Amino acid sequence: MSYVTFGDAGDPVVLLMTDGTASPDPSVDAFAERLAAGPRFVIRYDGPSADAPDREAVGGALAALDACGIGSAHVVGGSAAARLAAEHPDRVESVAVLPPGADEAVRTSVAADVLRSSSGGWDEQGGRLAARAIATGDATGWFDRLYAAAAASEVDTPWDRDEPHPLLAEWARSHQVRGAGRRAVVVGCGLGADAEFLAGLGFETVGFDIAETAVRVAQERHQGTPVSYQVGDLLDLPREWVHAFDLVVDVFTVQALPDPPRAAAIVNVGRLVGPGGTLVVVAYRGDSTWDPPPWPLTREEVAAFATDGLDEVRVEEANDPRREHPARWRAEFHRAHGR
């Protein structure tokens, strides 16, 4: 039995089964490293020669899992991998075929399939990436990695929507909001649904996000749009954006940050609001329960948006009818003229 590991043992496990050779194909290691960057914990098991019975490879693969203390894994390989899945389904989470001598296009496709099947979904993938970034003192570095994984079809994107958030749309309808001659900005605009909605109301709209992939996809998706999509850092605002917008919208953005720097991000959202302007915040309520991120906001954190001259107008405990756990905040703040 011969095996080599790549990545962190705390990540979802991928067992990569190859036939034993005196000099392993470097492209196999490159494939393993691509999966490990997922991030995944990859066990590259070098089985017996290609002409050996599959049962020998299956036995060796099980021994490799046992040696690593792994109960079950996502398996990649040829006929031996299929036999392992058929005979020991309790040890196999999923199985994917990587043909011998596969070219780069096939490897890319198989890698995306494996990463997708082993991701656990957007929330779990985001949690892993966020934990790594935060541990290195980088509270925002994981956003682009998560969007890039979604763009590569490695994970679903629950934020991928064409309609504005219903709590924003309802607020705009009830206030008969019209944007003619006024400017709006969407903080953490993602793929652009809320920014496009505001542009449709007549606002000159900026949508910014720290994730370059999100901005690129938004630009591609909304070609010909009047929205200005830009890469921007809420923690380091351009000077020309400060007190520059008549309407500022934040939907689930600051609560994707730990604290610090969440408190600083809350202040900076308010700094975008110009004289006579309005801030609308939609956020998960603090009584919601799940593993962060995001971190549900407490009532005190929502109140903290009323800073830098902003006044709290209304804070509502709103419900999003689309969700199983609908508890949300919808808050409105205003800056008087002259402030």
Side-chain angles (χ1 to χ4, degrees):
M1 176 186 65
S2 174
Y3 69 90
V4 180
T5 62
F6 302 76
D8 189 328
D11 291 322
V13 182
V14 176
L15 174 65
L16 175 58
M17 299 177 65
T18 69
D19 55 34
T21 61
S23 300
D25 183 349
S27 64
V28 174
D29 277 354
F31 180 76
E33 290 167 354
R34 180 183 302 174
L35 295 176
R40 302 293 185 270
F41 179 57
V42 181
I43 304 170
R44 193 203 71 204
Y45 163 64
D46 300 322
S49 62
D51 57 357
D54 283 346
R55 66 175 181 275
E56 293 184 20
V58 168
L62 292 173
L65 291 176
D66 292 340
C68 293
I70 302 299
S72 61
H74 300 269
V75 180
V76 185
S79 60
R83 180 165 180 166
L84 174 61
E87 296 181 352
H88 303 275
D90 57 319
R91 306 298 299 270
V92 177
E93 300 288 337
S94 68
V95 62
V97 175
L98 182 66
D103 62 20
E104 181 60 24
V106 171
R107 291 180 186 276
T108 298
S109 177
V110 171
D113 289 344
V114 174
L115 290 170
R116 186 182 185 87
S117 65
S118 60
S119 71
W122 175 274
D123 289 338
E124 287 191 23
Q125 179 78 345
R128 286 190 294 271
L129 295 174
R132 278 169 171 72
I134 292 169
T136 63
D138 181 5
T140 61
W142 60 279
F143 293 114
D144 192 62
R145 289 195 63 191
L146 187 55
Y147 273 108
S153 299
E154 296 171 5
V155 65
D156 289 328
T157 314
W159 300 341
D160 186 355
R161 51 186 171 88
D162 296 321
E163 299 297 324
H165 192 281
L167 294 180
L168 171 62
E170 181 185 67
W171 176 85
R173 286 194 300 270
S174 66
H175 288 70
Q176 298 183 333
V177 173
R178 296 293 180 269
R182 299 196 292 161
R183 300 184 71 201
V185 63
V186 176
V187 180
C189 65
L191 304 184
D194 295 327
E196 295 296 323
F197 172 69
L198 297 183
L201 295 178
F203 286 95
E204 179 186 340
T205 305
V206 172
F208 76 92
D209 204 296
I210 198 168
E212 294 183 14
T213 302
V215 172
R216 174 179 57 79
V217 172
Q219 291 170 334
E220 293 172 351
R221 176 172 295 187
H222 305 292
Q223 294 185 27
T225 179
V227 176
S228 174
Y229 289 106
Q230 302 183 37
V231 177
D233 186 351
L234 178 59
L235 301 175
D236 186 19
L237 292 175
R239 182 175 300 178
E240 62 269 23
W241 287 1
V242 175
H243 299 169
F245 296 95
D246 301 289
L247 176 60
V248 178
V249 171
D250 175 6
V251 177
F252 305 145
T253 299
V254 300
Q255 62 189 113
L257 297 169
D259 194 19
R262 189 190 317 110
I266 287 172
V267 171
N268 276 2
V269 169
R271 292 177 66 218
L272 292 164
V273 182
T278 298
L279 164 64
V280 176
V281 176
V282 176
Y284 297 108
R285 292 212 308 259
D287 56 356
S288 300
T289 57
W290 57 78
D291 293 329
W295 288 262
L297 297 187
T298 65
R299 179 62 177 83
E300 291 74 17
E301 287 175 311
V302 175
F305 283 94
T307 187
D308 186 49
L310 285 180
D311 296 315
E312 181 180 302
V313 176
R314 184 180 297 104
V315 176
E316 305 171 276
E317 295 185 2
N319 290 325
D320 182 347
R322 305 170 305 167
R323 304 300 181 187
E324 180 181 356
H325 304 290
R328 304 286 187 265
W329 296 114
R330 181 171 58 191
E332 180 181 345
F333 304 85
H334 181 73
R335 185 187 302 282
H337 288 283
R339 287 193 185 176

